[in-house]
Amino acid sequence: MIAVTKAPHIPVLLEEVVAALAITPGETHVDGTFGAGGYSAEMIEAGAKVHGFDQDPDAIAAGQTMVAASDGKLELHHALYSDMAEVLVGIDIDGIALDIGVSSMQIDQAERGFSFQKDGPLDMRMAQDGGTAADFLNEAEEEEIANVIYRYGEERRSRRIANAIVQARPLTRTSELAKLVRKTVGHKPGDKKDPATRTFQALRIYINRELGELEDGLVAAEKLLRPGGRLAVVTFHSLEDRIVKNFLRDRSGQKSSGSRHLPQSNEIRPAPTFHKPAKAVRPAGAEQALNPRARSATLRTAVRTEAPCDGGSR
């Protein structure tokens, strides 16, 4: 089996994802969120040629050992997964796997600034370029900060937190922000969930444009998959899962036609580009116990039809 990089990252729903991809030896698959290469290694083991994508230069650099050991079965691309249709133009793709969100190895590196449990610079950039979380918190208007925390963290106390952030500026360290949020909303030792969780999630999603990237990535997958090609997407919170669920419902023709009490539209809808999605899969209790990251995971899968795609929203 291909050696996976030693970063402490456990792929979530690995067996279920590989089963959904239904790999036949000789096929070509995409691991759109390469990370430490867990999914890619299993795809190669099943006989696939794999194109791995990651915007994080550290992941691409660490993956070169795996590339060298793959006997030409793995090719890495330092690019967003939303760009895969342009990067792989003209290549028939049999399956695509996406594991959305931040990886364990990014969280575990304090200097990357993703974790409220480790002190580090307020960075949070997956691609390691562009504006940092500190830049945003120290320069944005209070209302914009509150809106980001509410929208992407689903945090009801977003305005109170945003006001505290503005009053405390400049903020430069993850520990400063975490302490500020805990003090602002209240924190008791032994609380099941750290009150800083939602704020850190919101900032990470915003800084990396994660939801927009997911929307664009799903359209790219639709373009790239051959008829009969398989798509498997693992998400970790309701904002992500809702996007995937709605996309597959729409593209498979399951979208509601409206109220039966209103006049029916004569609009001609495009032919479905995906068959009806399989039932969503959640990790078994044993996996959740072994890997805390798995507790909120959801896998959604669907198979591409022969219908051409319009490449946009409907």
Side-chain angles (χ1 to χ4, degrees):
M1 182 174 177
I2 298 296
V4 180
T5 51
K6 293 183 179 180
H9 177 79
I10 304 173
V12 174
L13 289 165
L14 178 60
E15 293 183 6
E16 292 84 352
V17 167
V18 174
L21 293 175
I23 297 169
T24 297
E27 288 187 336
T28 302
H29 286 246
V30 171
D31 183 351
T33 47
F34 178 75
Y39 289 138
S40 290
E42 290 296 321
M43 292 176 187
I44 294 169
E45 186 73 10
K49 155 80 177 188
V50 177
H51 289 273
F53 284 76
D54 209 297
Q55 62 176 307
D56 189 336
D58 287 356
I60 297 298
Q64 295 309 310
T65 300
M66 190 170 162
V67 171
S70 72
D71 193 26
K73 295 292 187 181
L74 174 64
E75 184 173 345
L76 293 184
H77 305 275
H78 183 204
L80 296 164
Y81 65 84
S82 61
D83 291 334
M84 59 185 164
E86 286 71 37
V87 174
L88 302 178
V89 63
I91 301 176
D92 285 337
I93 299 299
D94 300 287
I96 296 173
L98 301 174
D99 176 1
I100 309 305
V102 68
S103 72
S104 300
M105 57 203 186
Q106 289 169 329
I107 292 176
D108 290 342
Q109 297 175 35
E111 65 273 16
R112 299 297 300 273
F114 287 102
S115 177
F116 52 81
Q117 297 177 330
K118 302 175 184 291
D119 181 48
L122 264 173
D123 193 317
M124 300 194 189
R125 298 170 301 168
M126 292 181 180
Q128 301 187 42
D129 63 9
T132 67
D135 293 333
F136 172 68
L137 292 178
N138 293 325
E139 298 171 7
E141 297 291 335
E142 181 177 324
E143 183 177 4
E144 184 180 7
I145 295 172
N147 289 342
V148 164
I149 295 173
Y150 180 78
R151 179 179 180 186
Y152 299 123
E154 299 180 296
E155 172 58 77
R156 293 179 293 103
R157 297 157 295 188
S158 61
R159 296 195 179 281
R160 194 189 315 170
I161 294 170
N163 179 261
I165 287 171
V166 170
Q167 297 300 318
R169 293 198 292 205
L171 295 171
T172 61
R173 310 290 296 181
T174 56
S175 58
E176 292 177 316
L177 177 60
K179 183 178 179 180
L180 179 68
V181 174
R182 292 167 187 146
K183 181 179 179 181
T184 301
V185 303
H187 177 49
K188 298 177 182 177
D191 281 352
K192 187 174 181 180
K193 190 171 186 178
D194 192 303
T197 302
R198 294 182 183 275
T199 296
F200 272 69
Q201 171 187 297
L203 292 173
R204 190 203 81 220
I205 290 174
Y206 174 76
I207 294 299
N208 294 288
R209 192 184 165 269
E210 290 182 37
L211 301 187
E213 172 67 3
L214 175 57
E215 292 170 345
D216 294 345
L218 292 170
V219 172
E222 179 187 43
K223 291 180 181 178
L224 195 55
L225 282 170
R226 66 161 179 82
R230 287 79 68 191
L231 175 64
V233 186
V234 178
T235 60
F236 291 90
H237 56 74
S238 60
L239 296 175
E240 297 170 343
D241 183 55
R242 191 176 304 127
I243 289 172
V244 179
K245 179 181 179 180
N246 289 342
F247 176 86
L248 293 178
R249 183 183 63 183
D250 176 22
R251 297 308 211 250
S252 62
Q254 306 296 309
K255 188 174 182 179
S256 171
S257 58
S259 171
R260 62 186 177 87
H261 300 293
L262 297 174
Q264 295 301 301
S265 171
N266 293 321
E267 175 188 4
I268 299 176
R269 301 190 65 195
T273 53
F274 285 92
H275 294 289
K276 184 178 179 179
K279 184 178 179 181
V281 175
R282 299 294 306 277
E287 181 174 1
Q288 293 187 40
L290 178 66
N291 182 7
R293 184 171 181 256
R295 293 172 187 166
S296 59
T298 302
L299 169 64
R300 295 189 183 274
T301 62
V303 177
R304 187 72 166 83
T305 69
E306 295 183 356
C309 64
D310 59 18
S313 60
R314 306 182 191 188

